[in-house]
Amino acid sequence: MNPTEEARLREAFADAADGVTPGPVPLAAVVRSGRARHRRRTAGLAACCGLLVAALAVTAHRFVLPVQNPPAAAPAAPTASPPPAPPEAARPRIVRPGERVRAAPDVLLWLTAQGKHWSAPDGGENFRSVTDGNLDLASPGITHQAEGRARGVFHSGIYYGTKAPARVEIGNTTAALLELPGSPGWGVWYATTPSADPGVTLYDGAGRVLARLPGRATP
């Protein structure tokens, strides 16, 4: 189509359009159609909101767990009490040969290489030998002598057969210990108690019983 023919066709369409009278606008129908579309839009939005709320509720129910108090801790199982430690060993007091020790108000005690010496109430002296062969110094043992005094009973004796720090108990009393220098393998113990015949026990430094006398021993 050339430009002249196109121009003629446009003029013919324009003349035809001028001869057409437009009808009245269907205003009521347009309003009704718009209200219907508005109601459908509102219902759709409400349905979408309902679905969204339901989805959020399901999600919250799924992921938000109720707060719970932590379970109470189970009581700890009772533990066995450790065994009591043995009493500390009484380290012997080292004395010079012949050195007098006040073992009781009226008793002096001293050691020599031959054995144990102690004074008597009448001023005399007593002696217990460690060299006469009556004591086996190679094996742990203990002797016991007891003498009544105005203030109780004076106990003393010889412990032997151990070079470790020893402890001697007479009844419920821990005795004092004396030794000569050089750890000769024996020493002297002494104590004062109300009773004349309690048992005597010799322990090593670890608290093990080395020797025991169940009752009063004779000199």
Side-chain angles (χ1 to χ4, degrees):
M1 180 180 296
N2 57 45
T4 302
E5 292 177 349
E6 182 178 354
R8 291 176 180 175
L9 183 59
R10 287 178 181 274
E11 290 178 0
F13 284 152
D15 291 340
D18 287 340
V20 177
T21 302
V25 177
L27 183 59
V30 171
V31 171
R32 286 194 302 271
S33 177
R35 288 177 178 176
R37 286 195 300 272
H38 178 72
R39 286 194 299 269
R40 288 195 298 271
R41 186 181 298 111
T42 302
L45 290 175
C48 291
C49 290
L51 292 175
L52 179 59
V53 171
L56 291 176
V58 171
T59 304
H61 176 73
R62 180 179 300 174
F63 294 103
V64 179
L65 299 178
V67 177
Q68 297 180 352
N69 294 327
T79 56
S81 300
E88 184 179 357
R91 294 189 177 276
R93 173 184 170 185
I94 306 301
V95 295
R96 301 184 305 274
E99 179 182 349
R100 265 57 172 177
V101 175
R102 181 68 64 180
D106 56 352
V107 179
L108 290 176
L109 190 63
W110 63 98
L111 281 64
T112 65
Q114 289 72 40
K116 165 198 167 191
H117 306 257
W118 71 102
S119 63
D122 59 3
E125 296 182 3
N126 297 303
F127 173 67
R128 184 68 166 90
S129 176
V130 297
T131 60
D132 59 4
N134 291 324
L135 301 180
D136 181 7
L137 301 185
S139 300
I142 194 167
T143 69
H144 180 197
Q145 294 84 45
E147 299 176 2
R149 295 290 194 273
R151 298 182 180 180
V153 181
F154 177 72
H155 304 268
S156 63
I158 297 173
Y159 64 90
Y160 53 90
T162 175
K163 294 180 180 292
R167 184 176 89 256
V168 173
E169 289 187 356
I170 176 165
N172 296 322
T173 302
T174 300
L177 307 180
L178 301 176
E179 280 190 13
L180 294 173
S183 299
W186 65 274
V188 170
W189 65 270
Y190 65 91
T192 299
T193 72
S195 173
D197 59 353
V200 184
T201 306
L202 170 66
Y203 298 88
D204 67 4
R208 294 185 293 264
V209 175
L210 297 179
R212 176 175 285 144
L213 295 175
R216 180 182 176 184
T218 58

